[in-house]
Amino acid sequence: MKHVLSTIISLNQSAFISGRTIQDNVLVSHEILRNYHRKGGSPRCALKIDIKKSYDSVSWQAILLTQEKFGFPASFIHWIYCCNSTAKFSVMVDGSAYGFFGA
């Protein structure tokens, strides 16, 4: 999987590749926004996007077919599908897990 991911994930992607972390994005955005309030400089705009909705609308059939086209083994594709389709979540309320719900 490591060899395949390095060929299909862009150099701009900051997660899912060894040596890259999504935390780098947090640091970069913090540096950019730190002096955002200043009057001088070029015009600028900040945008926060909720990507949860796009994740929720992804077609699992399309993901499975894409993995197949990239040559992932059938057993691996099945494992990924099982991990994502059978996940259960709970909500923490005052430090205690409360209830379970499916993805």
Side-chain angles (χ1 to χ4, degrees), residues 60 78-89 100-103:
W60 276 108
H78 179 70
W79 294 338
I80 296 297
Y81 178 74
C82 287
C83 287
N84 286 294
S85 64
T86 61
K88 299 284 184 195
F89 302 92
F100 287 93
F101 53 95

Side-chain angles (χ1 to χ4, degrees), residues 24-98:
D24 293 340
N25 288 345
V26 174
L27 295 174
V28 169
S29 63
H30 183 270
E31 287 297 314
I32 290 170
L33 295 174
R34 185 169 48 136
N35 294 314
Y36 216 67
H37 65 282
R38 292 187 177 175
K39 301 263 187 231
S42 61
R44 52 197 169 263
C45 174
L47 188 63
K48 180 181 175 187
I49 300 172
D50 181 2
I51 59 172
K52 177 186 170 288
K53 291 181 179 154
S54 64
Y55 178 80
D56 288 344
S57 64
V58 171
S59 162
W60 276 108
Q61 188 63 28
I63 290 174
L64 297 174
L65 287 173
T66 302
Q67 291 173 339
E68 186 179 308
K69 294 291 183 188
F70 275 111
F72 286 99
S75 57
F76 179 81
I77 295 170
H78 179 70
W79 294 338
I80 296 297
Y81 178 74
C82 287
C83 287
N84 286 294
S85 64
T86 61
K88 299 284 184 195
F89 302 92
S90 64
V91 177
M92 297 293 285
V93 178
D94 293 329
S96 299
Y98 179 77

